[in-house]
């Protein structure tokens, strides 16, 4: 078979992503630890325990990432480790983060660091977390400490991970640690405070490191009207703006708009250097919504990942990239992946999603990097260990790890900076007719 190759730009970031609470283990000062250890909040009663043991040995997975040829990794810092009590900072924790960040640089892996990825110090949760206006000063103080201690090692920053997901799962769905107040009002107020914290953190970072790139990682879903129902289309457009775009619009002009509130927020206008997209799937919307924003009705043809997590819909990645071009910023795919314990879908998922990115780049859309979620199996919040997202398979009991077949494939892509018909032939031959239609068997001479 003649070989066809889709080549990526030489400076493309080939990365993976993790979050502190999900991989470090023993984050005993976090509200998530409390949540896990009270009641039956986690599927099958799972516990994070040692998680993927990054606090002691992140280096094991970083070695594998380097072998795969990854040149970037997105990780987060656990606020509750750094500041276990209000204004008490743990130097040993900061030192360990320095070590991990240095270990990345030593392996040619550029860090992108998230300041807040779902978990809070217990003391902050007790004060009302992002519902309390106090959070702004606390977040500023935490950010300033991190920038002083670690900023020289961090070229890329995400201030807040998935603000809308945090708000929905914590204040509305109740699958995240119970807040002091629940409901739509509390959720919207929290998003507003997250944006205030983002703006403040943006300027604290840029003041010391003007070259640093700072943004938000925003969960972005394709939201489509469910079939039937005259108002479904109208509702899907409204919900899509609200869920996917309202935050970016707010960051452009610094003006809160309905339903976040109103009025200008100091320092918010223009406070983002890139768009971070966490893309997983598409959902369908019905009007009027019945209890939840969207329906998980995937349709008879849909390929669905483990635990009904979501439909595999690669074209959606191209669509969401296109939808943020109007903001005229570099784009990073800060998360993309699926739960797939047996790796039955992940090889073709990687090929089809990376192909959508290649297609976007070939239209000159500024997609600068891809961070696959996740490098290693990790603690999937309320779904515990039931969902496995890793390119590296982990046994949390023994901490043994093994690169999945999809990890081998991603390694081939990273090392070659490309996606080829040979890779498809080896890892997902069913894709050849659709993805490489021009490919014909070579004639024997
Ligand atoms: O594990 C999560 C992550 O913390 C945030 N984005 C989605 C991932 C998979 O569910």
């Amino acid at each position: 078979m003649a070989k066809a190759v889709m080549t990526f730009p030489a400076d493309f970031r080939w990365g993976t992503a993790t979050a502190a609470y999900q991989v470090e283990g023993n984050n005993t000062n976090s509200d998530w630890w409390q949540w896990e250890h009270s009641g039956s909040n986690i599927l099958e009663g799972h516990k994070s325990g040692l998680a993927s043991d990054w606090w002691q040995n992140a280096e094991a997975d970083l070695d594998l990432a380097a072998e795969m040829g990854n040149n970037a990794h997105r990780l987060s810092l656990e606020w509750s480790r750094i500041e276990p009590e209000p204004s008490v900072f743990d130097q040993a924790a900061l030192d360990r983060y320095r070590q991990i960040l240095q270990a990345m640089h030593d392996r040619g892996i550029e860090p992108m660091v998230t300041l807040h990825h779902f978990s809070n110090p217990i003391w902050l949760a007790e004060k009302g977390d992002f519902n309390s206006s106090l959070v702004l000063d606390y977040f500023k103080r935490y950010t300033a400490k991190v920038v002083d201690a670690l900023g020289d090692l961090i070229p890329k920053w995400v201030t807040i991970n998935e603000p809308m997901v945090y708000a929905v799962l914590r204040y509305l769905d109740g699958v995240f640690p119970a807040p002091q107040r629940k409901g739509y009002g509390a959720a919207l107020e929290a998003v507003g405070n997250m944006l205030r914290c983002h703006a403040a953190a943006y300027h604290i970072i840029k003041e010391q490191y003007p070259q640093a790139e700072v943004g938000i990682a925003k969960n972005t879903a394709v939201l489509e009207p469910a079939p039937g129902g005259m108002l479904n289309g109208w509702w899907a457009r409204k919900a899509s703006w609200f869920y996917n775009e309202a935050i970016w619009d707010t960051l452009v002009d610094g003006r809160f708009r309905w339903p976040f509130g109103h009025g200008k927020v100091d320092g918010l206008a223009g406070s983002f250097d890139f768009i971070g997209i966490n893309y997983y799937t598409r959902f369908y919307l019905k009007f009027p919504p019945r209890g939840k924003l969207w329906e998980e009705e995937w349709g008879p043809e849909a390929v669905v990942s483990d635990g009904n997590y979501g439909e595999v819909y690669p074209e959606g990645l191209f669509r969401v990239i296109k939808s943020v071009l109007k903001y005229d910023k570099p784009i990073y795919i800060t998360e993309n992946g699926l739960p797939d314990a047996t790796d039955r879908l992940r090889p073709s998922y990687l090929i089809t999603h990376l192909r959508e990115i290649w297609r976007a780049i070939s239209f000159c859309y500024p997609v600068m990097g891809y961070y696959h979620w996740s490098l290693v199996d990790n603690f999937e919040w309320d779904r515990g260990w039931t969902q496995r997202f890793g390119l590296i398979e982990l046994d949390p009991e023994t901490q043994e790890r093994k690169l999945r077949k999809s990890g081998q494939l991603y390694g081939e892509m990273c090392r070659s900076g490309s996606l080829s018909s040979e890779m498809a032939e080896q890892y997902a031959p069913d894709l050849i007719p659709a993805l490489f239609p021009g490919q014909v068997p070579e004639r024997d001479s």
Side-chain angles (χ1 to χ4, degrees):
M1 185 89 80
K3 181 167 136 180
V5 183
M6 300 174 186
T7 306
F8 286 69
D11 60 354
F12 190 74
R13 301 302 196 276
W14 294 92
T16 50
T18 53
Y21 193 86
Q22 295 179 267
V23 295
E24 286 177 357
N26 286 325
N27 268 315
T28 55
N29 293 315
S30 159
D31 60 347
W32 262 94
W33 189 265
Q34 248 184 359
W35 183 242
E36 273 187 56
H37 291 84
S38 54
S40 47
N41 296 319
I42 313 295
L43 208 59
E44 299 184 13
H46 286 170
K47 299 275 182 286
S48 59
L50 267 186
S52 320
D53 202 19
W54 270 41
W55 199 245
Q56 301 180 92
N57 194 12
E59 288 78 354
D61 289 326
L62 295 177
D63 281 342
L64 290 169
E67 275 169 37
M68 270 192 273
N70 293 183
N71 59 15
H73 180 77
R74 174 173 170 238
L75 73 164
S76 75
L77 306 178
E78 178 63 32
W79 186 353
S80 67
R81 259 190 206 285
I82 292 177
E83 193 179 0
E85 299 292 335
S87 80
V88 176
F89 289 94
D90 184 340
Q91 189 55 44
L94 288 163
D95 290 346
R96 175 62 184 140
Y97 279 124
R98 235 193 128 72
Q99 219 174 29
I100 294 174
L101 292 167
Q102 189 58 54
M104 288 181 191
H105 285 286
D106 293 346
R107 288 162 178 77
I109 297 173
E110 179 194 66
M112 176 187 273
V113 168
T114 305
L115 285 167
H116 187 273
H117 191 126
F118 293 166
S119 68
N120 299 306
I122 291 171
W123 59 262
L124 182 69
E126 285 170 354
K127 290 176 194 285
D129 79 285
F130 284 88
N131 261 166
S132 161
S133 54
L134 292 173
V135 70
L136 179 57
D137 281 340
Y138 293 135
F139 197 74
K140 281 184 184 167
R141 189 174 63 188
Y142 158 64
T143 303
K145 186 75 184 178
V146 168
V147 172
D148 274 348
L150 307 171
D152 56 321
L153 295 176
I154 307 178
K156 293 185 169 51
W157 298 76
V158 167
T159 54
I160 309 268
N161 179 68
E162 297 183 348
M164 298 296 267
V165 173
Y166 179 88
V168 171
L169 298 186
R170 191 174 182 100
Y171 301 98
L172 301 178
D173 285 4
V175 295
F176 273 23
Q180 291 182 348
R181 280 176 49 218
K182 288 189 93 170
Y184 284 100
L188 292 168
E189 210 178 291
V191 174
N193 281 331
M194 286 183 137
L195 294 179
R196 289 187 180 88
C197 288
H198 158 80
Y202 179 88
H203 293 288
I204 292 170
I205 297 165
K206 297 294 270 194
E207 208 167 292
Q208 270 202 55
Y209 295 99
Q211 305 305 328
E213 290 174 64
V214 187
I216 284 181
K218 172 82 196 64
N219 181 281
T220 309
V222 172
L223 299 180
E224 303 227 75
M230 303 248 302
L231 292 173
N232 294 356
W234 166 82
W235 175 235
R237 279 194 300 281
K238 284 270 170 232
S240 183
W241 172 78
F242 171 62
Y243 187 78
N244 292 323
E245 291 174 29
I247 283 188
W248 299 124
D249 285 355
T250 306
L251 258 60
V252 168
D253 60 13
R255 196 174 51 80
F256 275 8
R257 60 218 348 109
W258 185 89
F260 296 128
H262 50 82
K264 275 233 166 215
V265 173
D266 272 357
L268 192 60
S271 64
F272 63 127
D273 302 321
F274 64 84
I275 301 262
I277 290 183
N278 294 0
Y279 171 73
Y280 286 90
T281 191
R282 78 168 146 188
F283 295 100
Y284 295 90
L285 282 93
K286 283 186 182 151
F287 190 84
R290 270 149 260 191
K292 45 205 259 204
L293 190 57
W294 48 56
E295 313 281 328
E296 285 152 14
E297 285 176 9
W298 317 113
E301 304 289 298
V303 178
V304 178
S305 55
D306 290 359
N308 208 26
Y309 183 83
E311 175 191 3
V312 176
Y313 179 54
E315 296 86 341
L317 182 51
F318 187 86
R319 289 175 62 184
V320 299
I321 290 169
K322 212 169 158 197
S323 74
V324 295
L325 292 176
K326 61 182 170 208
Y327 300 110
D328 198 19
K329 298 276 180 187
I331 299 165
Y332 291 99
I333 308 306
T334 37
E335 288 182 26
N336 172 242
L338 80 173
D340 181 21
T342 57
D343 224 21
R344 74 193 157 101
L345 300 173
R346 198 177 286 101
S348 63
Y349 183 100
L350 273 169
I351 291 174
T352 50
H353 285 75
L354 262 307
R355 190 243 188 187
E356 292 303 316
I357 294 179
W358 176 83
R359 204 156 73 82
I361 293 172
S362 69
F363 280 100
C364 295
Y365 299 169
V367 187
M368 317 305 283
Y370 173 80
Y371 297 77
H372 187 79
W373 186 275
S374 178
L375 174 57
V376 60
D377 285 344
N378 56 48
F379 186 73
E380 182 55 26
W381 307 113
D382 55 302
R383 280 154 281 137
W385 295 98
T386 63
Q387 296 194 338
R388 304 303 183 99
F389 281 82
L391 295 169
I392 301 170
E393 181 179 357
L394 171 79
D395 178 340
E397 296 293 322
T398 62
Q399 287 295 323
E400 266 172 50
R401 46 253 291 148
K402 187 172 146 225
L403 197 61
R404 290 195 161 100
K405 206 169 116 193
S406 50
Q408 293 167 20
L409 164 64
Y410 191 52
E412 288 190 31
M413 292 181 187
C414 298
R415 289 188 298 270
S416 66
S418 70
L419 165 57
S420 73
S421 55
E422 279 184 345
M423 293 173 197
E425 239 175 271
Q426 187 183 345
Y427 292 96
D430 292 354
L431 293 176
I432 291 280
L435 257 51
F436 298 96
Q439 289 297 284
V440 288
E442 262 170 8
R443 278 186 311 178
D444 292 338
S445 48

